Amino acid sequence: MPSPGLRARVEAIPGTPLPHGILGGCADIIDVTDDEIHQLNGVEWMSLGCCPVRDTDWCAEESPGDESPGPLGSSPPKEFCSPQTEHAAPHTIYAGAICSTMGWSYAEAVQQVRATLELGEQRAIEAAFWRDGLAPRAVDLTPPDGPVNLAAGVAALEGCLAETYGGIGVLHVPAGAAALLGCCNVLSLTGGTPSTLAGNCAIIGAGYSYENSGPGGVPADPGTAWLYISGPVVVRRGPVDVIPDRAGPSIDRRYNDQRVLAERTVVVGTTCSICAINVALCP
C-alpha cells in the first residue's frame, strides 16, 4: 500500500472564474492607468438617461430665439428634469497566504496569492457591490403576499427599469437561482452572454449568492432569493499590488511564518433606478 510520505508533489489544480459574473460580458471593465489612478478614491458623475422623455401634442409655431424655453412658454407647460449627481465608492479586495518558511519560497507565496485573487476577485467584487451598491438604493417590489415566482419577478423588475430608464439594463441574479431562470426560458445566451427577452443583460454571481439579502440588508428566507435590476454597470480596477514586495519583510520571525498579500482596489458604479424583488425558488 502506498505511503503518504512518498506522495509526489505536482502542479496545483487550476480554476476558471465563472463566465457570467460581474467581470463577464455585462459590465464595462476599465483597468485604470497610472494617469487615472485617482479614480480609485471613488468617482462621481452626472446621471445620463435617468430623466424621462415625454410627448406632447403642442408644437411651437416659432423658434424661441433668445428666450428660454421655460415651462411658461408653452401650452400646456413642458416639464423639466434636473440630472442628479451619482457616485461610487472604492473597495479593496485581497487574498492572503500564510505558510512556513520551510519548503515555501517567497516566489511561491506570491504565485499562490496572485492565483487566488485571479480566481476569486469576481466573487468578492459581486458581494461588495450587492451589499453596498445595490441593496441600499433599491426599491422593493415584493408584494405584501410575499415572494413571487421567478418569471413574475423578472417581469416586475424589467417593468420597473423600463419606466425609469430607456436603455439596456442589468439583471443581478444569485448563482443559486440561475438554473431555474434557464429552465423557464427567462434567460438565454445571446452572443455568449445571458440576457432576457426584453434585452437586459444578466450577471449571475457567486458573490450575489453569498449575500442574497434584500434592500434592508435582511438575508433571504430559505427557499427564496433576491433579484435586482439596475442601469448599466461599470467596474474600474486598479493594478494588483503584492505586499510586501520582497521576501524579507514577509517573514514573521516570531513564528517563522511567511505572510504575503495580493490586493487591488475596485470602484463599481451603476446609474438611475435600482429595483429589487424577492422570489420563490420552488416551482
Side-chain angles (χ1 to χ4, degrees), residues 204-256:
I204 299 171
Y208 292 170
S209 278
Y210 176 77
E211 291 293 327
N212 196 17
S213 56
V218 179
D221 290 332
T224 72
W226 284 93
L227 305 183
Y228 288 79
I229 201 166
S230 72
V233 173
V234 176
V235 180
R236 288 176 168 82
R237 298 192 303 180
V240 175
D241 293 320
V242 175
I243 303 170
D245 60 0
R246 61 190 189 279
S250 70
I251 299 174
D252 185 341
R253 302 189 185 280
R254 295 170 300 174
Y255 306 103
N256 205 28

Side-chain angles (χ1 to χ4, degrees), residues 101-206:
T101 56
M102 300 294 293
W104 279 82
S105 68
Y106 170 76
E108 288 174 313
V110 170
Q111 183 182 23
Q112 175 78 14
V113 292
R114 280 187 172 275
T116 301
L117 185 68
E118 180 180 354
L119 183 61
E121 68 171 323
Q122 182 168 246
R123 179 180 182 273
I125 294 170
E126 290 162 353
F129 181 51
W130 181 289
R131 183 182 64 249
D132 298 332
L134 294 174
R137 292 176 49 193
V139 175
D140 188 356
L141 305 181
T142 309
D145 293 341
V148 299
N149 68 60
L150 278 164
V154 172
L157 291 177
E158 291 195 304
C160 179
L161 184 70
E163 292 172 7
T164 56
Y165 183 72
I168 295 173
V170 178
L171 185 67
H172 303 270
V173 182
L180 297 176
L181 288 171
C183 74
C184 301
N185 295 319
V186 176
L187 292 181
S188 60
L189 290 180
T190 303
T193 301
S195 63
T196 68
L197 183 62
N200 293 306
C201 197
I203 292 175
I204 299 171

